[in-house]
């Protein structure tokens, strides 16, 4: 009997030989636990609801009063919330959004929040540092790292250009 707590990622290892070397994409994907995909869906939904509503309010209330960098930050966070809508429905397809979320928060914590913290000053209040640390920890548990490795590091890359047909030499 099949384990219902695991998603088979749209594939059962294809026994047929692919037509070309690039057809192997999406074959033999590692299984991902169902609780991880549902956890990712919840995080994506929270991003849509919390981040999206907060950034939309900021944009509607005072976008004309911002300097360029503040406007850039709010615009990018709102775009992130819009992309997260897709993650609610296809969490594995939208995993790069979560990877980006981890990376930017780690960079922010390291470059912006850590130096004042180490010198005994107040941490800048732009992003809640404690919530960021907790969020990163939760994401590190929820992200299916074997799937990430398979999808982004072991797959054949897309060709840079088409191969010439034998008859066109």
């Amino acid at each position: 009997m099949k384990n219902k707590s695991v998603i088979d990622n749209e594939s059962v290892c294809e026994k047929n030989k692919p037509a070309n070397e690039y057809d192997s994409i999406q074959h033999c994907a590692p299984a991902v636990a169902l609780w991880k995909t549902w956890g990712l869906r919840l995080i994506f939904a929270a991003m849509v609801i919390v981040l999206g509503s907060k950034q939309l309010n900021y944009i509607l209330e005072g976008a004309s009063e911002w300097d360029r960098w503040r406007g850039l930050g709010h615009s990018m966070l709102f775009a992130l919330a819009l992309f997260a809508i897709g993650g609610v429905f296809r969490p594995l397809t939208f995993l790069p959004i979560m990877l980006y979320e981890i990376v930017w928060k780690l960079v922010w914590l390291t470059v912006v929040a850590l130096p004042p913290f180490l010198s005994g000053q107040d941490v800048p209040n732009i992003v809640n540092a404690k919530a960021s640390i907790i969020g990163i920890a939760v994401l590190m548990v929820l992200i299916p790292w074997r799937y990430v490795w398979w999808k982004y590091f072991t797959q054949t890359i897309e060709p840079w250009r088409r191969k010439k047909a034998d008859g066109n030499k």
Side-chain angles (χ1 to χ4, degrees):
M1 182 161 176
K2 191 171 188 174
N3 185 353
K4 300 232 184 249
S5 66
V6 173
I7 291 181
D8 199 12
N9 295 333
E10 305 126 328
S11 72
V12 175
C13 281
E14 299 284 334
K15 304 257 190 265
N16 302 334
K17 186 177 179 183
N20 65 44
E21 61 187 300
Y22 305 107
D23 284 347
S24 66
I25 295 175
Q26 288 298 326
H27 298 299
C28 300
V32 175
L34 190 59
W35 66 270
K36 287 189 176 199
T37 56
W38 276 102
L40 287 169
R41 281 189 172 106
L42 288 173
I43 299 293
F44 277 120
M47 284 176 68
V48 171
I49 294 166
V50 176
L51 183 65
S53 64
K54 195 175 198 179
Q55 295 306 319
L56 183 61
N57 282 336
Y58 287 147
I59 289 170
L60 294 176
E61 287 176 358
S64 62
E65 301 167 7
W66 297 337
D67 63 21
R68 289 181 185 160
W69 289 109
R70 184 170 180 166
L72 174 72
H74 287 300
S75 299
M76 288 184 70
L77 288 172
F78 185 65
L80 194 65
L82 290 176
F83 278 123
I85 294 170
V88 172
F89 300 102
R90 297 182 144 283
L92 296 180
T93 304
F94 284 81
L95 266 177
I97 300 289
M98 287 301 172
L99 298 174
Y100 175 77
E101 186 77 11
I102 290 173
V103 171
W104 88 257
K105 283 188 177 179
L106 282 174
V107 169
W108 184 87
L109 285 168
T110 305
V111 175
V112 178
L114 188 61
F117 176 76
L118 292 176
S119 66
Q121 299 172 357
D122 288 336
V123 175
N125 214 10
I126 298 168
V127 176
N128 186 337
K130 291 176 187 171
S132 292
I133 293 169
I134 292 168
I136 289 170
V138 169
L139 282 176
M140 296 296 270
V141 171
L142 289 177
I143 290 180
W145 293 105
R146 285 183 55 223
Y147 179 84
V148 169
W149 180 257
W150 171 82
K151 179 77 174 170
Y152 301 108
F153 297 102
T154 64
Q155 294 294 311
T156 307
I157 64 170
E158 291 85 9
W160 290 89
R161 56 187 157 143
R162 295 181 189 258
K163 292 182 180 179
K164 290 185 178 182
D166 291 336
N168 294 339
K169 289 185 179 178

